[in-house]
Amino acid sequence: MRRSRDPSVTTSGEDAGAECPYCESTDTVREHPKGPSLCRSMHYCNACEQPFEKFE
């Protein structure tokens, strides 16, 4: 089952291809452009099905 992105999120930044810190896959999607702070974004790995934060 693939998770869908939050439809209320709009971003002009790149939303795919971040490397997963758990399995190193790049089959990832940005779920939300903002994490707990402005320098982090929330992503989801389709390969290992884990959410993770990416530091900008």
Side-chain angles (χ1 to χ4, degrees):
M1 183 172 122
R2 289 181 80 123
R3 293 176 57 179
S4 61
R5 238 170 54 166
D6 180 349
S8 67
V9 175
T10 58
T11 179
S12 59
E14 186 175 329
D15 62 355
E19 186 176 297
C20 175
Y22 301 106
C23 71
E24 300 179 356
S25 172
T26 55
D27 182 15
T28 62
V29 293
R30 180 186 282 181
E31 289 194 318
H32 202 282
K34 297 178 184 172
S37 68
L38 294 176
C39 64
R40 296 187 278 181
S41 56
M42 302 301 295
H43 294 259
Y44 180 79
C45 179
N46 293 314
C48 68
E49 300 181 345
Q50 291 293 319
F52 65 94
E53 293 180 349
K54 179 183 175 191
F55 292 84
E56 304 289 328

